[in-house]
Amino acid sequence: MSVIYERLSQMLRRRSAAAGLGVLLLFLYAGWIAYQWQRDKLYDFNLYYIAASGLRDGLDIYDLARDYSGENAAAWAELAEAYGVEHYAPPYRYPPLTAQLVLPLTYLDDRTAGTLWLLLSGLAFAASAWLMGKVSHAPQGPALALGLMLIFVPALTTLHAGQVNGFVLLALTAGYWGLERRNDLAAGIGIAVAALLKLVPAALLLYLFWRKQWRPAVIALAAATLLMLTAPVTFSPDTLSAYWRNFFVMGEPGTLFAMPPNQSLNGLWARLLGGYIADEAIYRIYLLSALAVVVAAITLCWPMRRLPAWWRYEFALIVCAINLITPYAWYHQLALLYIPLYIVTEQLWAARRLTALAAVLALLALTNLHGLLWHSFESSRWLTNFPLALNLALAGLLTQQILAERRVFAAKPARPAEQRS
């Protein structure tokens, strides 16, 4: 095993390895995008297309989030027909920035617009892997980062639906890169953009304040505020008020989402306990488990202080947590798990913890299988939870590493200036 490890390490250190994997990644995405163009069923992008077109024309898209499966279904169908869209997945739950990003594409037909969107999304995924490799602490980091993205099916399912996750991931990796390189502007803007494309990364903005990263935190807050204020200028003046007025309705509080693609704790408990106990009890169990995740994350990041040496593990843990606690984390949203997946893989590789690494890769393989074939075992309460199991495994390994780093830090003798008589 050690001989194989050494040979792989030497191979991954070569620049040609990273270059070759990068080329393979681009070829994979090009082929997948060509398939999606032929298939022409970008349900999520088409939703963005309808929403951006409607907001451009002064319609209250956010109000259609109310009872969208009932009386508003006809309204969505009318909009889809008006804008020439056949396949779509309402309602539009996102902040206005996602629609603003799509707005220039609404002047093209939906199929051409969708293809351009996929090309940009594929480049965003490739750039995310490149950025993670650039800030790696290991010589084989660039090749490892590109190799993991090459075998990461949540990125392909994002492209399959035309989801926004590629851009969210790129913004988060830019924020991570900024913190690593002490580039406050990149850190703040990256996290702000991620939060305004898909709300759940807003937890990392709070993390900036928690870790007393005042400059990137203020930059993030200012950038988020300014970007939000562009919505009434881009669309109608009441766009923001409509978004906040319908904010809680869009989240469908009290609802269980048992569908196999939902890989949050809500989906887990709904699948495992549905039919055995009342839905209200299951929802309370979900809320308590989500609260436990939040408390655990805060405890691991306690106390408030400046970034510790192990901050990257905390950053990755928060990415895991936001995909657990949200009411719905559809499979394609697990594209954000690329960050903790890479950080854990890099750490296990450097520490030669090959058994743990093999277990993570096995769970990744099962997660990939879920993304490709989940319809084949959707009737099982257990076999539909492998992506969530990967998330929990990554969170557990990150927790273990944070505790180990804290013990080492606590064991260090205090500096003379810090000693007390």
Side-chain angles (χ1 to χ4, degrees), residues 54-214:
L55 288 167
R56 178 197 64 201
D57 295 341
L59 302 178
D60 189 351
I61 293 297
Y62 289 112
D63 193 55
L64 294 181
R66 296 175 179 272
D67 191 29
Y68 72 92
S69 60
E71 64 184 41
N72 286 330
W76 280 108
E78 289 177 10
L79 285 177
E81 184 177 1
Y83 296 122
V85 173
E86 183 178 359
H87 304 285
Y88 58 99
Y92 181 79
R93 308 175 190 268
Y94 304 81
L97 185 61
T98 299
Q100 289 174 272
L101 195 63
V102 174
L103 182 61
L105 299 177
T106 61
Y107 296 97
L108 303 170
D109 66 90
D110 64 306
R111 193 174 188 184
T112 303
T115 303
L116 287 174
W117 176 262
L118 292 186
L119 288 169
L120 293 171
S121 294
L123 290 173
F125 277 122
S128 299
W130 180 80
L131 266 180
M132 290 301 292
K134 288 288 287 184
V135 297
S136 172
H137 293 268
Q140 67 271 12
L144 196 60
L146 290 164
L148 279 176
M149 186 62 81
L150 186 65
I151 60 171
F152 193 52
V153 170
L156 297 179
T157 58
T158 287
L159 296 175
H160 185 74
Q163 251 284 341
V164 73
N165 297 315
F167 302 102
V168 180
L169 179 63
L170 180 57
L172 284 179
T173 53
Y176 178 87
W177 179 90
L179 285 174
E180 181 69 39
R181 296 298 172 88
R182 299 185 181 180
N183 186 320
D184 296 336
L185 191 65
I189 292 178
I191 290 173
V193 169
L196 290 188
L197 290 174
K198 189 167 267 190
L199 195 62
V200 287
L204 288 164
L205 196 156
L206 298 176
Y207 177 73
L208 292 178
F209 283 101
W210 182 269
R211 283 295 176 229
K212 300 184 179 181
Q213 298 300 292
W214 306 123

Side-chain angles (χ1 to χ4, degrees), residues 386-401:
F386 287 124
L388 189 141
L390 173 64
N391 193 353
L392 289 173
L394 292 173
L397 288 165
L398 289 164
T399 297
Q400 182 185 56
Q401 188 63 27

